[in-house]
Amino acid sequence: MRHRMEDLLTLMQVLRDTEQGCPWDLQQDWDSIVPHTLEEAYEVADAIERRAFDELPGELGDLLFQVVYYAQFGAEEQRFDFDDIVDTLTAKMLRRHPHVFPEGTLASRRPAGVSAEEVQTQQVNSRWESLKAEERAERTANTPSVLDDVPRTLPALSRAAKLSKRAARVGFDWPDARGVVAKIREELAEVEEALAAGDQQHAQEEVGDLLFAVTNLARTLNADPEQCLRTTNAKFERRFRYVEGELSAAGRPLVEASLDEMETHWQAAKALETQPQEKQPTQS
C-alpha cells in the first residue's frame, strides 16, 4: 500500500510526541531546522542539474519533510497547521492567475477557445509582479520599502540579484549591460588600488562591491548568478580532476607537480571539452 500525505503528517506527529517520539526530533525548533531546509533545497537543485531523476523523488520528499516540520511546530504552538499552508498557497496562486482562474476559484476557467499561447506573456508577468507588490505592501504597511521581504537567509549571490532586481523595478538600474560592465571595471580598479595601498580590509570590501556588480551583470543577462557559479564550479571540478588523473597516471604526486605541468593538463582538459562530439553511427 502506498503512503499518502496524511501518513506523513501522522509520522511527524509521532516523531514529536513527548512520550513516544524521537529524542532528536523533539530537540528541534524553528531555528535548528532552517539549515536543513536550505541544504535539502540545494540537493533538489543538484539532482535536477545532474538529471538524476531517479534520486529526485527522495530529494523532493526530504524538502517536503521540512515543510511538514514547520507545520508541526505551528500546530504545536497553535499558530497554523499544514491545512493552513495548503489553503494560503492555493488562494495565493488563484489570486495570481486571473488569466487562468478568472473568478478566483478552482472551478472557474477562461473562455473556451483561448489557448495559453494566446495569453499575452508580458501582461501575465506584469500582473504577477503587480499582485506580488500588493501582497508585499500588505505585509509591510508599517515599513514600506521596495527591498522589504527579501529573505536574509538567501545565499549572498541570490540575495544580491533579488535586491538589485527590486531596485531596478523603480528605475535604479543601468540602461544596458554595457553600463554594468563599466561598473565592474570601476570596482576592479578599486580592488587593485586597495591592494596597491596594502589595505587588505578595504580590498575585501571592494571585492564585495565587485561581486555585487557581477551579480547585476548576470541579472541584466537574465541569468541566475547562483546557477552560473554552480556551472563554473562543476566545470572547475571536472577539469581539476582531469589534471589529478593525468598526473597520477604519470606517477607524479600532485604536490610535486609544477604549476606549468598542471597548466598543461588543464589546457588539455579544456581542449577535450571544446572538441565537437562525434556522431554515433545509426543502425540501418
Side-chain angles (χ1 to χ4, degrees), residues 130-179:
S130 176
L131 287 167
K132 286 170 64 177
E134 291 173 9
E135 291 168 5
R136 281 196 299 272
E138 291 175 4
R139 290 195 300 270
T140 60
N142 296 328
T143 56
S145 168
V146 295
L147 303 182
D148 282 336
D149 202 33
V150 179
R152 295 183 179 275
T153 52
L154 283 174
L157 283 176
S158 293
R159 190 161 193 268
K162 283 187 174 293
L163 288 171
S164 61
K165 183 178 180 181
R166 291 281 183 88
R169 286 178 189 160
V170 294
F172 193 74
D173 199 8
W174 291 272
D176 53 38
R178 289 175 296 181

Side-chain angles (χ1 to χ4, degrees), residues 233-248:
N233 286 344
K235 180 169 59 178
F236 176 86
E237 183 178 8
R238 188 170 61 247
R239 292 175 180 176
F240 192 80
R241 288 181 183 274
Y242 177 88
V243 172
E244 289 178 315
E246 292 299 300
L247 289 171
S248 176

Side-chain angles (χ1 to χ4, degrees), residues 183-195:
K183 183 62 175 178
I184 291 172
R185 293 195 179 101
E186 176 188 327
E187 298 297 352
L188 180 58
E190 291 180 0
V191 172
E192 293 173 336
E193 289 175 9
L195 290 173

Side-chain angles (χ1 to χ4, degrees), residues 114-139:
V114 180
S115 68
E117 289 76 13
E118 291 176 288
V119 177
Q120 293 293 324
T121 301
Q122 187 173 0
Q123 293 178 357
V124 170
N125 290 341
S126 176
R127 176 62 177 164
W128 178 274
E129 294 298 341
S130 176
L131 287 167
K132 286 170 64 177
E134 291 173 9
E135 291 168 5
R136 281 196 299 272
E138 291 175 4
R139 290 195 300 270

Side-chain angles (χ1 to χ4, degrees), residues 1-274:
M1 184 180 77
R2 293 171 64 89
H3 293 296
R4 305 178 68 84
M5 193 67 222
E6 292 78 8
D7 299 322
L8 182 58
L9 295 173
T10 299
L11 182 146
M12 174 55 74
Q13 291 170 4
V14 175
L15 288 176
R16 293 279 295 177
D17 185 273
T18 54
E19 294 183 1
Q20 298 178 314
C22 169
W24 187 89
D25 290 285
L26 284 168
Q27 292 173 0
Q28 304 314 305
D29 57 25
W30 298 99
D31 298 315
S32 68
I33 291 297
V34 169
H36 298 283
T37 306
L38 297 173
E39 180 180 345
E40 299 301 350
Y42 285 129
E43 290 182 0
V44 168
D46 177 67
I48 292 173
E49 289 172 2
R50 293 185 290 109
R51 293 298 186 263
F53 294 117
D54 57 326
E55 300 176 16
L56 200 51
E59 298 298 352
L60 287 169
D62 291 342
L63 184 57
L64 173 61
F65 195 62
Q66 304 302 303
V67 178
V68 173
Y69 241 123
Y70 297 122
Q72 181 64 26
F73 292 153
E76 291 171 1
E77 298 176 10
Q78 297 184 332
R79 297 176 184 274
F80 60 86
D81 59 17
F82 189 80
D83 288 340
D84 291 321
I85 296 173
V86 173
D87 179 65
T88 301
L89 173 61
T90 304
K92 179 168 64 177
M93 290 300 107
L94 288 171
R95 189 168 61 250
R96 289 184 178 179
H97 292 82
H99 52 289
V100 178
F101 308 102
E103 297 174 17
T105 66
L106 278 174
S108 63
R109 297 291 186 274
R110 64 171 172 261
V114 180
S115 68
E117 289 76 13
E118 291 176 288
V119 177
Q120 293 293 324
T121 301
Q122 187 173 0
Q123 293 178 357
V124 170
N125 290 341
S126 176
R127 176 62 177 164
W128 178 274
E129 294 298 341
S130 176
L131 287 167
K132 286 170 64 177
E134 291 173 9
E135 291 168 5
R136 281 196 299 272
E138 291 175 4
R139 290 195 300 270
T140 60
N142 296 328
T143 56
S145 168
V146 295
L147 303 182
D148 282 336
D149 202 33
V150 179
R152 295 183 179 275
T153 52
L154 283 174
L157 283 176
S158 293
R159 190 161 193 268
K162 283 187 174 293
L163 288 171
S164 61
K165 183 178 180 181
R166 291 281 183 88
R169 286 178 189 160
V170 294
F172 193 74
D173 199 8
W174 291 272
D176 53 38
R178 289 175 296 181
V180 191
V181 171
K183 183 62 175 178
I184 291 172
R185 293 195 179 101
E186 176 188 327
E187 298 297 352
L188 180 58
E190 291 180 0
V191 172
E192 293 173 336
E193 289 175 9
L195 290 173
D199 190 339
Q200 185 172 356
Q201 183 175 353
H202 187 207
Q204 291 174 352
E205 180 183 340
E206 294 299 344
V207 166
D209 293 344
L210 177 60
L211 288 171
F212 193 86
V214 172
T215 300
N216 269 282
L217 179 59
R219 175 185 58 80
T220 304
L221 299 174
N222 296 318
D224 175 11
E226 286 284 339
Q227 176 65 52
C228 291
L229 189 55
R230 283 198 298 270
T231 300
T232 295
N233 286 344
K235 180 169 59 178
F236 176 86
E237 183 178 8
R238 188 170 61 247
R239 292 175 180 176
F240 192 80
R241 288 181 183 274
Y242 177 88
V243 172
E244 289 178 315
E246 292 299 300
L247 289 171
S248 176
R252 287 282 284 164
L254 187 63
V255 294
E256 295 180 6
S258 68
L259 183 57
D260 286 341
E261 287 177 279
M262 289 189 281
E263 178 64 19
T264 297
H265 292 304
W266 180 271
Q267 293 300 328
K270 287 180 63 176
L272 285 173
E273 291 181 358
T274 57

